Amino acid sequence: MEENSPQNEEMIAELDDLNNPIIHDENKGRIRNLIGFWLLGLCNNYPYVIMLSAAFDLLYPKNGESVPQQNCSTNGTRCNEISTGAILLADILPSLFIKLIAPFIILRTQYRVMIAIALCAASFIIASFSTSHWVTFLGVICAALSSGLGEVTYLSYSSNFDKNVVSTWSSGTGGAGVIGALSYASLKEFFELKTTLQIMLVTPVLTAITFWIIIVHPSSLKYNCRSCLCSSERKPILSGDIDLSSKEYITKAKTYTFREKISLIKPLLKYMIPLGLVYFAEYFINQGLMELLYFQNVCDWLSHDRQYRWYQVDYQIGVLISRSSVNIFQCHKLWILPILQMINLLILLLNVCLPFIPSIWIVLAIIFYEGLLGGCAYVNTFYKISLEDHKDKEFSMGVASLGDSIGIALAGITALPVHDALCKLQSFSS
């Protein structure tokens, strides 16, 4: 009787793997986790994107005011009494605050997720019923707290899964930009602001379904961090009991002193500083310069407001593409990205002061490139951290997310006075 050839043995092994229920369940669980983290990224950033997309509608119509209209006979300045940069600050400063304190608070993952979901729902409800600016800003602040807490929580928790969930999370956050901007613009064509925001309450519901039903949580966490969620079996949380108060769990839990946490931040600066600089330049362009990048020669078919709107869509498409590409292209020298982004900032700033770019298509290309750089910096930063082999990876993932928030906050603070100064310069020169 002939012995099995190596090819036959390999085929038999593959068939055994396919028929093995354990391996089949693991593959199925992996796919569910990849999809789940994509949805978490989408839902987490969605309120943030919506509040920025709805900035004009939130600020002006409340007291019967209307959005300033532009026409082709103007000199192209766009200087509103209340800049949308104010919405940016309300959308990022609370997020930065929660990211600063969240890593130092011992709170189990499931409770953090519950709080983030409640804040997300509150943001849409408050903003939809708002009758004054301060109530509107309260709704925006709730959205910011939800996104900030969610980012720290989900990125930290991702360290307990396959490293590719970082890629799908990042892709989901990029998708939130495009899907958020397009869904808001589309719904506003048919509904008033109040109804549009209330329809978006589907977001916190989808978040809950994703975290508690779609994601297959690990049976045991590799590094047993006290802020993590543990389950007794490898299955969705709702289908089994979770004992987070057992003596065995508490004994294995990893805790840090305040001094230890500070010492762990220092090695992360090589990731946080480039990421922060990229986002500073990126959001300085978006909130300080885009309103002034106006081309009068296309005003007859693309008004000033529409130019601004398409700049935002163009930027978000670039972000989505680059945040979804880490498995195809990886940037190993992160310090190159802030240099390239600062060059974009310099070019567009010079064009606002002394217009020299002849076509809006060139500006659209630069803004698309700007989005590519921003998304590339984000996904490669967290992907590189996820590849490191050390016991503090979970804490590192959460803390490193401070880099982009600090950069955005500084951009918003800087963009407000610079925007006003550029408006005065254009008014004087005209």
Side-chain angles (χ1 to χ4, degrees):
M1 187 173 183
E2 295 183 4
E3 295 183 358
N4 289 334
S5 66
Q7 291 83 0
N8 290 335
E9 290 178 353
E10 184 177 345
M11 290 177 63
I12 292 172
E14 290 178 356
L15 289 173
D16 289 340
D17 288 345
L18 290 174
N19 294 325
N20 190 325
I22 296 177
I23 295 177
H24 177 73
D25 288 344
E26 287 182 351
N27 290 334
K28 183 179 178 181
R30 181 176 180 272
I31 294 173
R32 285 173 58 176
N33 289 335
L34 292 174
I35 295 173
F37 271 89
W38 190 90
L39 290 173
L40 287 179
L42 171 69
C43 294
N44 188 71
N45 277 32
Y46 192 82
Y48 170 83
V49 173
I50 291 301
M51 294 305 170
L52 290 182
S53 299
F56 271 43
D57 295 325
L58 290 170
L59 287 174
Y60 289 98
K62 296 304 179 183
N63 296 320
E65 300 174 27
S66 59
V67 178
Q69 300 295 320
Q70 304 291 339
N71 56 64
C72 293
S73 62
T74 63
N75 64 355
T77 61
R78 184 191 179 107
C79 303
N80 302 322
E81 183 179 352
I82 302 178
S83 172
T84 53
I87 293 290
L88 173 65
L89 288 177
D91 216 6
I92 194 60
L93 290 180
S95 177
L96 174 59
F97 172 75
I98 200 69
K99 287 182 181 181
L100 283 169
I101 67 172
F104 301 95
I105 298 176
I106 298 176
L107 187 63
R108 291 163 186 162
T109 300
Q110 60 178 350
Y111 300 139
R112 293 190 184 208
V113 174
M114 291 178 184
I115 294 172
I117 289 173
L119 287 169
C120 179
S123 69
F124 290 128
I125 294 172
I126 293 172
S128 66
F129 286 101
S130 174
T131 56
S132 62
H133 284 154
W134 75 267
V135 176
T136 296
F137 280 106
L138 178 61
V140 176
I141 289 170
C142 286
L145 292 173
S146 172
S147 295
L149 179 61
E151 183 173 10
V152 172
T153 301
Y154 301 134
L155 279 173
S156 296
Y157 194 47
S158 71
S159 64
N160 302 292
F161 296 82
D162 185 291
K163 67 179 185 297
N164 287 322
V165 302
V166 176
S167 175
T168 57
W169 155 272
S170 181
S171 174
T173 59
V178 177
I179 295 173
L182 290 178
S183 64
Y184 176 78
S186 300
L187 288 171
K188 276 292 284 141
E189 293 294 324
F190 303 98
F191 304 102
E192 60 180 10
L193 178 64
K194 178 180 178 181
T195 304
T196 298
L197 294 177
Q198 290 174 354
I199 290 173
M200 291 173 181
L201 285 170
V202 68
T203 306
V205 175
L206 180 58
T207 303
I209 293 173
T210 300
F211 187 79
W212 277 290
I213 297 179
I214 295 179
I215 290 181
V216 181
H217 299 269
S219 57
S220 61
L221 298 182
K222 189 175 180 181
Y223 302 123
N224 288 304
C225 179
R226 195 170 189 176
S227 67
C228 296
L229 179 67
C230 297
S231 60
S232 57
E233 299 180 18
R234 187 178 181 82
K235 57 185 178 179
I237 296 175
L238 290 183
S239 62
D241 295 330
I242 306 166
D243 186 6
L244 293 175
S245 59
S246 65
K247 292 181 180 179
E248 181 181 0
Y249 171 76
I250 298 297
T251 302
K252 291 182 178 180
K254 173 65 177 175
T255 58
Y256 304 94
T257 65
F258 182 80
R259 180 172 295 181
E260 287 174 336
K261 291 177 179 179
I262 295 298
S263 66
L264 290 173
I265 294 176
K266 292 180 181 178
L268 296 175
L269 293 178
K270 63 183 178 182
Y271 300 115
M272 296 171 66
I273 291 176
L275 182 64
L277 290 174
V278 168
Y279 271 74
F280 170 81
E282 186 173 330
Y283 275 81
F284 187 91
I285 292 171
N286 294 350
Q287 303 306 131
L289 300 181
M290 274 190 184
E291 293 180 84
L292 303 176
L293 292 170
Y294 170 62
F295 285 83
Q296 193 171 343
N297 58 347
V298 297
C299 183
D300 54 342
W301 60 276
L302 201 62
S303 65
H304 200 159
D305 289 341
R306 287 181 176 176
Q307 289 181 35
Y308 178 81
R309 206 154 42 234
W310 280 106
Y311 288 152
Q312 294 289 343
V313 173
D314 183 40
Y315 158 76
Q316 295 291 359
I317 292 174
V319 171
L320 173 61
I321 292 174
S322 59
R323 286 196 178 196
S324 306
S325 63
V326 71
N327 290 325
I328 301 174
F329 169 79
Q330 297 173 19
C331 178
H332 299 287
K333 297 180 179 179
L334 296 177
W335 56 268
I336 293 178
L337 300 176
I339 294 175
L340 297 175
Q341 197 72 294
M342 287 293 180
I343 292 174
N344 286 338
L345 169 59
L346 180 61
I347 292 173
L348 295 178
L349 178 61
L350 289 175
N351 185 72
V352 170
C353 298
L354 299 169
F356 63 90
I357 298 178
S359 171
I360 190 174
W361 299 108
I362 297 177
V363 170
L364 286 169
I366 294 174
I367 291 174
F368 177 76
Y369 175 54
E370 171 210 344
L372 288 177
L373 291 177
C376 181
Y378 182 92
V379 68
N380 279 276
T381 294
F382 292 107
Y383 188 76
K384 287 175 73 68
I385 295 175
S386 72
L387 294 178
E388 293 187 352
D389 185 18
H390 59 83
K391 59 185 174 61
D392 304 306
K393 186 189 298 184
E394 181 182 12
F395 181 81
S396 300
M397 293 287 283
V399 172
S401 65
L402 284 170
D404 61 328
S405 295
I406 293 173
I408 295 171
L410 292 176
I413 294 171
T414 306
L416 287 176
V418 171
H419 176 269
D420 292 342
L422 291 173
C423 285
K424 292 178 181 178
L425 177 64
Q426 285 197 355
S427 177
F428 179 78
S429 63
S430 62

